[in-house]
Amino acid sequence: MRATPIVQQILSKYEGETPGVKANLCRILMNGELGGTGKVIILPVDQGFEHGGARSFAANPAAYDPHYHYQLAIDAGLNAFAAPLGLLEAGADTFAGQIPTILKVNSANSLIPNAALKDQAITASVDDALRIGASAIGFTIYPGSSAGLDMFEEISAMREEAAAKGVATVIWSYPRGEALDKNGETAIDIAAYAAQIAALLGAHIIKIKLSTDHLSLPEAKAVYEEQKIDISTQAARVKHCMDASFAGRRIVVFSGGAKKGADSVYDDARAIRDGGGNGSIIGRNSFQRDRADALAMLSELVNIYKGNE
Amino acid sequence: MRATPIVQQILSKYEGETPGVKANLCRILMNGELGGTGKVIILPVDQGFEHGGARSFAANPAAYDPHYHYQLAIDAGLNAFAAPLGLLEAGADTFAGQIPTILKVNSANSLIPNAALKDQAITASVDDALRIGASAIGFTIYPGSSAGLDMFEEISAMREEAAAKGVATVIWSYPRGEALDKNGETAIDIAAYAAQIAALLGAHIIKIKLSTDHLSLPEAKAVYEEQKIDISTQAARVKHCMDASFAGRRIVVFSGGAKKGADSVYDDARAIRDGGGNGSIIGRNSFQRDRADALAMLSELVNIYKGNE
Amino acid sequence: MRATPIVQQILSKYEGETPGVKANLCRILMNGELGGTGKVIILPVDQGFEHGGARSFAANPAAYDPHYHYQLAIDAGLNAFAAPLGLLEAGADTFAGQIPTILKVNSANSLIPNAALKDQAITASVDDALRIGASAIGFTIYPGSSAGLDMFEEISAMREEAAAKGVATVIWSYPRGEALDKNGETAIDIAAYAAQIAALLGAHIIKIKLSTDHLSLPEAKAVYEEQKIDISTQAARVKHCMDASFAGRRIVVFSGGAKKGADSVYDDARAIRDGGGNGSIIGRNSFQRDRADALAMLSELVNIYKGNE
Amino acid sequence: MRATPIVQQILSKYEGETPGVKANLCRILMNGELGGTGKVIILPVDQGFEHGGARSFAANPAAYDPHYHYQLAIDAGLNAFAAPLGLLEAGADTFAGQIPTILKVNSANSLIPNAALKDQAITASVDDALRIGASAIGFTIYPGSSAGLDMFEEISAMREEAAAKGVATVIWSYPRGEALDKNGETAIDIAAYAAQIAALLGAHIIKIKLSTDHLSLPEAKAVYEEQKIDISTQAARVKHCMDASFAGRRIVVFSGGAKKGADSVYDDARAIRDGGGNGSIIGRNSFQRDRADALAMLSELVNIYKGNE
Amino acid sequence: MRATPIVQQILSKYEGETPGVKANLCRILMNGELGGTGKVIILPVDQGFEHGGARSFAANPAAYDPHYHYQLAIDAGLNAFAAPLGLLEAGADTFAGQIPTILKVNSANSLIPNAALKDQAITASVDDALRIGASAIGFTIYPGSSAGLDMFEEISAMREEAAAKGVATVIWSYPRGEALDKNGETAIDIAAYAAQIAALLGAHIIKIKLSTDHLSLPEAKAVYEEQKIDISTQAARVKHCMDASFAGRRIVVFSGGAKKGADSVYDDARAIRDGGGNGSIIGRNSFQRDRADALAMLSELVNIYKGNE
């Protein structure tokens, strides 16, 4: 496998990083249909912790089986597959080496009381990632939560260990908590702030949500208006989030949320592409469709990221 | 001892697991009257922590002696015997090698104040399990409790250590806590969610309670009704819980609770068998009967799991 | 020193325990006037932490000096002497090897605010015990306290370390805390529960208080009445507590509390003996008397345990 | 590089410190336009954590790129550049060895709820500093906060590790928290107290804010008035803070806060110089101006510290 | 240096202690004008943490400089000099070996909110003490505080490490917290209790405050009155505190508090001497006087402890 010039350029921005981490980022960037383009699509399956099995998989019962997801990610030519430890282990031998995996190392669930919703549990280790051959760890932070500082400390320590062992770090930066109302969680100023925090924490890949044109913090609102920052379109907002990610020196992927119509998924992807984002991380919209529909939709997304649509 | 094809098939689903863990799962699956069938009956004696000695053993005073339980499990031809450290140690030498043991490494008690009822104390270590020759550790999690995230972190770390040392992990996944009312603790949506969480945490054997057809979480209720998930019979509910355990890739045993009539115990076992579950974990219904009655009842359960009744 | 058959039988019940622990239990069981009988009297001097120096020692000012207690325990022919680190250290060299010592490794005090009364501080380590030549560590747990689970975790870890290093573990199991009222702390159902918990935690020697015939927990009361458990006399209650200690497989000693008349102390000892208990742990009733009186009283206790009175 | 006599004299006051720490202090003191004068100007860029990307960089969008700050600090001939891990890493290879760097190892953010505003998260380690070639770690303490004692413990441990590994420690001593009102945070008695605490904690370089002539603590006010301590001018207050920093045995730099007019920045620098302070740490006033203005202003500050204005 | 018989006798009471600890106690006991008498005067300078620089040193501005205190302790012929890490380090090289030092390893400050006043931060380690050549660590406990148990655990662990490394331990036992009113903090029953706790924790040198004849705890008051314990004079109260310190087996020094008239300081010293105490620890009364006055006063104190006045 020879890295393309665009992938080499992306890797060159991870200055002073260990060759092990760069090799794993390279594997993700060079894998699948988008391999070598600098664009990525990742399949995340951590909804079983969040919502339980039935809400996640009953719409497409084949998806109860961990093997289903491995096979879907491979057959669709995606760049990587992300899941918690138990799920990845259940296919780790059968699919070894066939697709880069991202071990999600912390998780929340909707069974815990409200007060605990602002934190997650660490459910796997960096050594677990090494043992099952994962290319990266994935970690969720909740900027805006009272547990936020603790989560920052946890990922800082895990990231240091992971990088020393040649494992890359993906940070899910999801604003949530007492400091934010519902509109605030998806406001553009908050999304860009979340990206900046993930970058400062040393994330190699940053995962944030697509945002609205709402401005949540009064001090930020004043600056956005004074500096006339363009947040009028989704593409403009993606571009602003790339600026906040060290002026594009970090790989950023965007998530779309609950299942919705295919056209809406495509519109999101075009905005990500046009704003300079690196790609999509797309879970329920993949595996809650039946396999044929999911493969068709993912194929179309590949076309969009290749600039063909 | 040669593993039967059905046991080899079960073990093959633990992909990438250490040979030590597989060997211990094999010992449990191949032991006793059900050895080699893929079905298991386990005797758990951790009620002394939960309720004290008198409430646990006064109905059958011979059971105050730890040796009683070892001998009962051996004579009844069960697959394994589970208990806290002090109790297992009290017979560890006399019965060494005669039956696989599961060291229960955390425990709660009904003497602590209400506010503390949602957590357990870690009362033994993985090295304790190695020292006394146990095949597995047993750990209780309380999904739905404010201490739930901490318990997930504890078992994740202990499971990693145990697997590296060749010791299997059994997770008692018992919904309890502020987020659940009494009906919720035994609702089918919650039971299946509890099984899913245990599987994602990497449990080798999952222990859950038999459930009712109640649906507790509104978001789940909507999905169950929309997708027409069959929860009308106990066997159907067992099948649904097996789906939620990676489509049957994990061993799941079911518990029955307080002492009740023998017929009711048999009905439970038939439902577990017919739903595709792996077996029963049966404590008070064993040792609170006198020895002759208990042996007769366990013998009948073996017959049921063999498909003879 | 050759162990008597009765001592060998007691030691045989500690199955799979390290030879180092058995050697130290043997030293305690074979020492002093009761050496070899299976009965024990222990002098505990940890009241300085609990109540300060004046309340503990002013009634007999010679007792301010740590040497006083060592000498009293030796001259009275007791089995062991238990105290916190500072006090044991103050005579560790002068009396080295002359009497087995038990290092009390956690302590409370009556200076702390009410809210903190339910916990103790760890004030010495297993390595401290090794350094000063102690035969055992002593640790207090408060079943019924909100700090109870933490205390269980602390002693579980210390016990594991101690056993690996050949040091025995004595657990002071003292019901206390939010879950109990004053009558509950000395109720027989609670005392037996406390003994059961200590046994399950792996204590080699269990220390509990003598109890009343009160039944505190409603669920327990129902069982005691249904099963007609005899709790009518102190000897019957001692016997019930021995049942709860793995049917007598563990050494259990009983404490008597604040200073009282000698006859009352003797009555307690006869009940312990007749109920099958292993002996007394007797502090303030020893050292708050002047030396001659204390020696006479302890001599009489020896006679009682020898079955002569 | 040969250290000037004045730098050698400063270094001689760090008695018994490791040669590694002295070497790194020497590198900072000898670098750039003020190299060898004993005066220092440091560029800190940690506002992305505090306020997010837009509020920090939108006024001068080139500053979204980490390389911009490295280049500005080098071109302006500053002594050192301070930033969080992610930002320093993004230029660590390109600018390796071109300017001493200070790794800011803890950080707060304005997204967390009010109650958490009094603490920071540790987001990098001493080994991170070694790995990226930083000369020092930077750590913020909040004297006056309920988390203050924890922060003191954190920096005490990190400082010990850093010094053993030859890395210097800069303490940002920022009074904040429940014990202080808004005027108190910048009062001269509090500022001097903050400097004293940092010195006692073993800081090699102390960073405090310039103060007002307000006296916040009544007990302190009485002493200031009785002893007639001169706090009438900014230079006098700087001198008093130097006294509180072991009579000038420690390097102290002062910060100026939000962006303001250049003349005001120059006045601050003259007061620092005249009061015997070691220099300025100047962030938003540098990078929120465009590059030409910033370079002109920094050049003027160099002149002031050289005593030319 | 040959230890005098009285010093050898004191050292003999530290039974089983490491030779390293005894050597450091010997150094302190044999140093200065009182060397070899068994009496000690110690200069403590930790008020910068407690009250800030101005309140501590503005009355005698030369005292802002750490060197001032080293020189004062040496010139006055004191036994030891105690201070926090930063302050000791600032003279550690210049004065190496010229006077035994005690590294104060925890500290409070008056800037923290009220709720935090009952705890201290650990600001230095045992290895710090070794690195700067200190003879002992000093640690403050607050019996009566809700943080008291944690502080006991901290010093127990540090003391164990220190003793293993040959460093002695001085415990400042200062009753404070929710359980005590202002009169209680200096009551004789509390002071004696505080001494007893420090002794039980294994302190080599105990530092307590001189007390009043107030009796704070009702249970204690009853005992003091019943046993007719003499607390009528300061000398009698000192003697009682020595009893509570293992009948004089531990070195006990007394502190006097805020600056006051010289005659009052002398009266205190005579009471300490006459009650059998080992000496004074005297901070603000030394360094808030000008150097000539301080030297004269300290010389007079030496005379008193020599029994000449």
Side-chain angles (χ1 to χ4, degrees):
Chain A
M1 182 181 71
R2 174 179 215 152
T4 57
I6 195 169
V7 167
Q8 290 191 36
Q9 187 197 11
I10 291 174
L11 294 177
S12 74
K13 291 177 182 164
Y14 291 84
E15 300 197 5
E17 194 47 85
T18 57
V21 166
K22 289 195 180 188
N24 272 315
L25 291 175
C26 185
R27 280 184 199 111
I28 293 171
L29 289 165
M30 292 302 298
N31 195 69
E33 292 294 321
L34 288 170
T37 65
K39 301 296 177 185
V40 292
I41 303 178
I42 298 172
L43 174 68
V45 187
D46 55 350
Q47 292 79 4
F49 261 125
E50 285 277 344
H51 304 126
R55 287 175 65 196
S56 302
F57 308 125
N60 180 24
Y64 279 118
D65 188 337
H67 283 210
Y68 176 86
H69 303 284
Y70 271 99
Q71 201 64 59
L72 178 67
I74 292 166
D75 291 347
L78 304 188
N79 296 75
F81 169 44
L85 181 64
L87 202 155
L88 280 190
E89 277 190 327
D93 191 45
T94 301
F95 302 98
Q98 298 190 41
I99 186 164
T101 54
I102 299 168
L103 175 60
K104 188 77 192 339
V105 294
N106 69 345
S107 296
N109 66 81
S110 49
L111 269 182
I112 54 175
N114 277 339
L117 279 174
K118 299 146 200 159
D119 198 4
Q120 298 209 339
I122 296 178
T123 55
S125 72
V126 173
D127 285 339
D128 283 324
L130 293 173
R131 180 170 55 81
I132 63 169
S135 292
I137 56 168
F139 191 99
T140 299
I141 57 172
Y142 289 149
S145 156
S146 54
L149 295 182
D150 288 341
M151 296 176 104
F152 293 2
E153 296 198 347
E154 290 168 346
I155 186 51
S156 292
M158 288 191 87
R159 179 213 173 281
E160 182 182 1
E161 181 191 354
K165 293 175 173 170
V167 175
T169 295
V170 185
I171 294 185
W172 271 238
S173 194
Y174 275 19
R176 182 191 281 195
E178 305 89 324
L180 296 171
D181 58 21
K182 214 61 198 170
N183 287 333
E185 291 185 3
T186 53
I188 176 59
D189 61 320
I190 303 298
Y193 199 161
Q196 167 81 4
I197 285 175
L200 288 169
L201 289 169
H204 300 109
I205 301 178
I206 297 167
K207 176 182 184 245
I208 55 174
K209 293 186 187 171
L210 288 170
S211 54
T212 68
D213 63 0
H214 180 60
L215 291 166
S216 177
L217 297 177
E219 300 87 343
K221 192 172 198 290
V223 170
Y224 277 78
E225 292 172 353
E226 186 189 343
Q227 302 294 342
K228 299 186 173 39
I229 301 175
D230 181 7
I231 55 172
S232 59
T233 64
Q234 188 59 271
R237 294 194 290 274
V238 166
K239 182 191 172 303
H240 178 58
C241 289
M242 296 308 292
D243 282 345
S245 302
F246 293 165
R249 288 180 181 274
R250 293 292 169 262
I251 300 167
V252 185
V253 294
F254 295 81
S255 61
K259 190 184 162 190
K260 54 188 175 184
D263 287 345
S264 177
V265 174
Y266 303 150
D267 287 346
D268 285 353
R270 286 189 198 97
I272 296 166
R273 179 194 65 193
D274 296 343
N278 294 85
S280 296
I281 182 158
I282 182 162
R284 282 173 285 175
N285 273 296
S286 301
F287 63 74
Q288 290 187 347
R289 284 172 162 79
D290 68 32
R291 187 175 141 89
D293 284 358
L295 287 172
M297 187 197 75
L298 290 166
S299 175
E300 178 67 12
L301 283 177
V302 165
N303 276 334
I304 291 171
Y305 278 116
K306 284 187 173 170
N308 300 336
E309 311 262 339
Chain B
M1 183 180 67
R2 176 181 213 149
T4 57
I6 194 168
V7 166
Q8 290 190 36
Q9 187 197 11
I10 292 174
L11 294 177
S12 74
K13 292 177 181 163
Y14 292 84
E15 299 197 5
E17 194 47 86
T18 57
V21 166
K22 290 196 180 187
N24 272 315
L25 290 175
C26 185
R27 280 183 198 111
I28 293 171
L29 288 166
M30 292 302 298
N31 195 69
E33 293 294 321
L34 289 170
T37 65
K39 301 295 177 186
V40 293
I41 303 178
I42 298 171
L43 174 68
V45 188
D46 55 350
Q47 293 78 4
F49 260 126
E50 284 276 345
H51 305 126
R55 287 175 64 197
S56 302
F57 308 125
N60 179 22
Y64 279 119
D65 188 338
H67 281 210
Y68 177 85
H69 303 283
Y70 271 101
Q71 200 65 58
L72 178 67
I74 292 167
D75 292 347
L78 304 188
N79 296 74
F81 170 43
L85 182 64
L87 201 155
L88 280 190
E89 277 190 327
D93 191 45
T94 300
F95 302 98
Q98 299 190 41
I99 185 162
T101 53
I102 299 168
L103 176 60
K104 188 76 190 343
V105 295
N106 68 346
S107 296
N109 67 81
S110 49
L111 270 182
I112 53 175
N114 276 339
L117 279 175
K118 298 146 201 157
D119 198 3
Q120 298 209 340
I122 296 179
T123 56
S125 72
V126 173
D127 284 340
D128 283 322
L130 293 174
R131 181 170 54 80
I132 64 169
S135 292
I137 56 168
F139 191 99
T140 299
I141 57 171
Y142 289 150
S145 156
S146 54
L149 295 184
D150 287 340
M151 297 176 103
F152 293 2
E153 297 199 345
E154 290 167 348
I155 185 52
S156 292
M158 289 191 86
R159 180 214 173 282
E160 182 182 1
E161 181 190 353
K165 292 174 174 170
V167 175
T169 294
V170 186
I171 294 184
W172 271 239
S173 194
Y174 275 20
R176 182 189 281 194
E178 306 89 323
L180 296 170
D181 59 21
K182 214 61 198 171
N183 287 334
E185 291 185 5
T186 53
I188 176 59
D189 62 319
I190 303 297
Y193 198 161
Q196 166 82 2
I197 285 174
L200 289 170
L201 289 169
H204 300 110
I205 301 178
I206 297 167
K207 175 183 185 246
I208 56 173
K209 294 184 186 171
L210 289 170
S211 53
T212 68
D213 63 2
H214 180 61
L215 291 166
S216 177
L217 297 177
E219 300 88 344
K221 192 172 197 294
V223 169
Y224 276 78
E225 291 172 353
E226 185 188 344
Q227 302 294 341
K228 299 188 172 38
I229 301 176
D230 182 8
I231 56 172
S232 60
T233 65
Q234 189 59 271
R237 294 194 290 274
V238 165
K239 183 191 172 303
H240 178 59
C241 288
M242 295 308 293
D243 282 345
S245 301
F246 293 165
R249 289 180 180 274
R250 293 291 170 263
I251 301 167
V252 184
V253 294
F254 295 81
S255 61
K259 192 184 162 190
K260 54 188 175 185
D263 287 344
S264 177
V265 174
Y266 303 149
D267 287 346
D268 285 352
R270 285 189 198 97
I272 296 166
R273 179 195 63 193
D274 296 344
N278 294 85
S280 297
I281 181 157
I282 181 162
R284 281 172 286 174
N285 273 298
S286 301
F287 63 73
Q288 290 187 348
R289 284 172 160 79
D290 68 32
R291 188 174 140 89
D293 285 357
L295 287 173
M297 188 196 74
L298 290 166
S299 176
E300 178 66 11
L301 284 177
V302 165
N303 276 334
I304 291 171
Y305 278 116
K306 285 187 172 169
N308 300 336
E309 313 259 342
Chain C
M1 182 181 67
R2 176 180 214 152
T4 58
I6 195 168
V7 166
Q8 290 190 35
Q9 189 198 9
I10 292 174
L11 294 177
S12 74
K13 292 177 182 163
Y14 292 84
E15 299 197 6
E17 194 46 87
T18 57
V21 166
K22 290 197 180 187
N24 272 315
L25 290 174
C26 185
R27 279 183 199 111
I28 293 171
L29 289 165
M30 292 302 297
N31 195 68
E33 293 294 322
L34 288 170
T37 65
K39 301 296 178 187
V40 293
I41 304 178
I42 297 171
L43 175 67
V45 187
D46 54 351
Q47 294 77 5
F49 260 125
E50 285 276 346
H51 305 126
R55 288 175 64 195
S56 303
F57 307 125
N60 179 23
Y64 280 118
D65 188 338
H67 282 210
Y68 176 85
H69 303 284
Y70 271 101
Q71 200 65 59
L72 178 67
I74 293 166
D75 291 348
L78 303 188
N79 295 74
F81 169 45
L85 182 64
L87 201 155
L88 280 189
E89 277 190 327
D93 190 45
T94 301
F95 302 98
Q98 298 191 40
I99 185 163
T101 54
I102 299 167
L103 176 59
K104 187 76 188 349
V105 294
N106 69 345
S107 295
N109 66 80
S110 48
L111 270 183
I112 53 175
N114 276 338
L117 278 175
K118 297 147 200 157
D119 198 5
Q120 296 209 340
I122 296 179
T123 56
S125 72
V126 173
D127 284 338
D128 283 323
L130 293 173
R131 181 171 54 81
I132 64 169
S135 292
I137 55 167
F139 191 99
T140 299
I141 57 172
Y142 290 149
S145 155
S146 54
L149 295 183
D150 287 341
M151 297 176 103
F152 293 3
E153 297 200 344
E154 289 167 347
I155 185 52
S156 292
M158 288 190 86
R159 178 214 173 281
E160 182 182 2
E161 182 190 354
K165 293 175 173 169
V167 175
T169 294
V170 186
I171 293 185
W172 271 239
S173 193
Y174 275 20
R176 181 190 282 194
E178 305 88 325
L180 296 171
D181 60 20
K182 213 60 198 171
N183 287 334
E185 291 185 4
T186 54
I188 175 59
D189 63 319
I190 304 297
Y193 199 162
Q196 167 81 3
I197 285 174
L200 289 170
L201 289 169
H204 300 109
I205 301 178
I206 297 167
K207 176 183 185 244
I208 55 174
K209 293 184 188 173
L210 288 170
S211 53
T212 68
D213 62 3
H214 179 62
L215 290 167
S216 176
L217 297 176
E219 300 88 343
K221 192 172 196 294
V223 170
Y224 276 79
E225 291 172 354
E226 184 189 343
Q227 302 293 342
K228 297 188 173 41
I229 302 176
D230 182 8
I231 56 170
S232 61
T233 65
Q234 190 57 270
R237 295 193 291 274
V238 165
K239 182 190 171 306
H240 178 60
C241 289
M242 296 308 293
D243 282 345
S245 302
F246 292 166
R249 289 180 181 275
R250 294 292 170 262
I251 301 167
V252 184
V253 296
F254 295 82
S255 61
K259 192 184 163 190
K260 54 187 175 184
D263 287 345
S264 176
V265 175
Y266 302 149
D267 288 346
D268 285 352
R270 286 190 198 96
I272 295 166
R273 180 196 63 194
D274 296 343
N278 294 85
S280 297
I281 182 158
I282 182 162
R284 279 172 287 174
N285 273 297
S286 300
F287 63 72
Q288 290 187 347
R289 285 173 160 79
D290 68 32
R291 187 174 140 89
D293 285 357
L295 286 172
M297 189 197 72
L298 290 167
S299 176
E300 179 65 13
L301 284 177
V302 165
N303 276 334
I304 291 170
Y305 278 115
K306 285 187 171 168
N308 299 335
E309 312 259 340
Chain D
M1 181 181 70
R2 175 180 214 151
T4 57
I6 195 169
V7 166
Q8 291 191 35
Q9 188 197 10
I10 291 173
L11 293 178
S12 74
K13 291 176 181 164
Y14 292 84
E15 299 197 6
E17 194 47 85
T18 56
V21 166
K22 289 196 180 188
N24 272 315
L25 290 175
C26 185
R27 280 184 198 111
I28 293 171
L29 289 165
M30 292 303 297
N31 195 69
E33 293 294 321
L34 288 170
T37 64
K39 301 297 178 185
V40 292
I41 303 178
I42 298 171
L43 174 68
V45 186
D46 54 352
Q47 293 79 5
F49 261 124
E50 285 277 344
H51 304 124
R55 287 175 65 195
S56 301
F57 307 127
N60 179 24
Y64 279 118
D65 187 338
H67 281 209
Y68 176 85
H69 304 284
Y70 272 101
Q71 200 65 59
L72 178 68
I74 293 167
D75 292 348
L78 304 189
N79 296 73
F81 169 44
L85 181 64
L87 201 155
L88 279 190
E89 276 190 327
D93 191 47
T94 302
F95 302 99
Q98 298 191 40
I99 185 164
T101 54
I102 299 168
L103 176 60
K104 189 77 191 340
V105 294
N106 69 345
S107 296
N109 66 80
S110 49
L111 269 182
I112 54 176
N114 276 339
L117 279 174
K118 300 145 198 158
D119 198 4
Q120 296 209 338
I122 296 179
T123 55
S125 72
V126 173
D127 285 339
D128 283 323
L130 293 173
R131 179 170 55 83
I132 63 170
S135 293
I137 56 168
F139 192 99
T140 298
I141 57 173
Y142 290 148
S145 156
S146 54
L149 295 182
D150 287 341
M151 296 176 103
F152 293 4
E153 296 198 346
E154 289 168 347
I155 186 52
S156 292
M158 288 191 85
R159 179 213 174 281
E160 183 182 0
E161 181 190 354
K165 293 175 174 170
V167 174
T169 295
V170 185
I171 294 185
W172 271 239
S173 194
Y174 275 19
R176 181 191 281 195
E178 306 89 323
L180 296 171
D181 59 20
K182 214 61 199 169
N183 287 334
E185 291 185 3
T186 53
I188 176 59
D189 62 320
I190 303 297
Y193 198 160
Q196 167 80 3
I197 285 174
L200 289 169
L201 288 170
H204 300 110
I205 301 179
I206 297 167
K207 175 182 185 246
I208 55 173
K209 293 185 186 171
L210 288 170
S211 53
T212 68
D213 63 1
H214 180 60
L215 291 165
S216 177
L217 297 176
E219 300 87 344
K221 191 172 198 292
V223 170
Y224 276 78
E225 291 171 353
E226 185 189 344
Q227 301 294 344
K228 298 185 172 42
I229 301 175
D230 181 7
I231 55 170
S232 60
T233 64
Q234 190 57 272
R237 294 193 292 273
V238 166
K239 181 189 172 305
H240 177 59
C241 289
M242 295 308 293
D243 282 346
S245 302
F246 293 165
R249 289 180 180 275
R250 293 293 170 262
I251 300 168
V252 185
V253 295
F254 296 81
S255 62
K259 190 183 163 192
K260 54 188 175 183
D263 287 345
S264 176
V265 174
Y266 303 150
D267 287 346
D268 285 353
R270 285 187 199 98
I272 295 166
R273 179 195 65 194
D274 295 343
N278 293 85
S280 298
I281 182 158
I282 182 162
R284 281 172 286 175
N285 273 297
S286 300
F287 63 73
Q288 289 187 345
R289 284 174 162 78
D290 69 32
R291 187 174 140 91
D293 285 358
L295 287 172
M297 189 197 74
L298 291 165
S299 175
E300 179 66 13
L301 284 177
V302 165
N303 276 334
I304 290 170
Y305 279 116
K306 286 187 172 169
N308 298 336
E309 310 262 339
Chain E
M1 181 181 68
R2 175 180 213 151
T4 58
I6 195 169
V7 167
Q8 291 191 34
Q9 188 197 10
I10 292 173
L11 293 178
S12 74
K13 291 176 182 164
Y14 292 84
E15 299 197 6
E17 195 46 86
T18 57
V21 166
K22 290 197 181 188
N24 272 316
L25 290 175
C26 185
R27 280 183 198 111
I28 292 171
L29 289 166
M30 292 302 297
N31 195 69
E33 292 294 321
L34 288 170
T37 64
K39 301 296 178 185
V40 293
I41 303 177
I42 297 170
L43 174 68
V45 187
D46 54 351
Q47 294 78 5
F49 260 124
E50 284 276 346
H51 304 125
R55 285 175 65 195
S56 302
F57 307 127
N60 179 23
Y64 278 118
D65 187 339
H67 282 210
Y68 177 85
H69 303 284
Y70 271 101
Q71 200 65 58
L72 178 66
I74 293 167
D75 291 348
L78 304 188
N79 295 74
F81 168 44
L85 181 64
L87 201 156
L88 280 190
E89 276 190 327
D93 190 47
T94 302
F95 301 99
Q98 298 191 40
I99 186 164
T101 53
I102 299 168
L103 176 59
K104 188 76 188 348
V105 294
N106 69 345
S107 296
N109 67 80
S110 48
L111 269 183
I112 54 175
N114 276 338
L117 278 174
K118 299 144 199 158
D119 197 5
Q120 296 209 339
I122 296 179
T123 56
S125 71
V126 173
D127 284 339
D128 283 323
L130 293 173
R131 180 171 54 82
I132 64 170
S135 292
I137 56 167
F139 191 98
T140 298
I141 57 173
Y142 291 148
S145 155
S146 54
L149 295 183
D150 286 341
M151 297 175 103
F152 293 3
E153 296 198 345
E154 290 167 347
I155 185 52
S156 292
M158 288 191 86
R159 179 214 174 282
E160 182 183 1
E161 182 190 353
K165 293 176 174 169
V167 175
T169 295
V170 185
I171 294 184
W172 271 240
S173 194
Y174 275 19
R176 180 191 282 194
E178 306 90 323
L180 296 171
D181 60 21
K182 212 62 198 171
N183 287 334
E185 291 186 3
T186 53
I188 176 59
D189 63 319
I190 303 297
Y193 199 161
Q196 168 80 4
I197 285 175
L200 289 169
L201 288 170
H204 300 110
I205 301 179
I206 297 166
K207 176 183 184 243
I208 55 173
K209 293 185 188 173
L210 288 169
S211 53
T212 68
D213 62 3
H214 179 61
L215 290 166
S216 175
L217 297 176
E219 300 87 344
K221 191 172 197 294
V223 170
Y224 277 79
E225 291 172 353
E226 185 188 344
Q227 301 294 343
K228 298 188 173 42
I229 302 175
D230 182 8
I231 55 170
S232 61
T233 65
Q234 190 57 270
R237 294 192 292 274
V238 165
K239 180 189 173 305
H240 178 60
C241 289
M242 295 307 293
D243 282 345
S245 302
F246 292 166
R249 289 181 181 274
R250 293 292 169 264
I251 300 168
V252 184
V253 295
F254 295 82
S255 62
K259 191 184 164 190
K260 54 188 175 182
D263 287 345
S264 176
V265 175
Y266 302 150
D267 287 346
D268 284 352
R270 285 189 199 96
I272 296 166
R273 179 195 64 194
D274 295 344
N278 293 85
S280 297
I281 182 158
I282 183 163
R284 281 172 287 175
N285 273 297
S286 299
F287 63 72
Q288 290 186 347
R289 284 175 162 78
D290 69 32
R291 187 174 140 90
D293 284 358
L295 286 172
M297 189 197 73
L298 290 167
S299 175
E300 179 65 14
L301 284 176
V302 166
N303 277 333
I304 291 170
Y305 277 115
K306 285 187 170 170
N308 298 337
E309 310 259 342

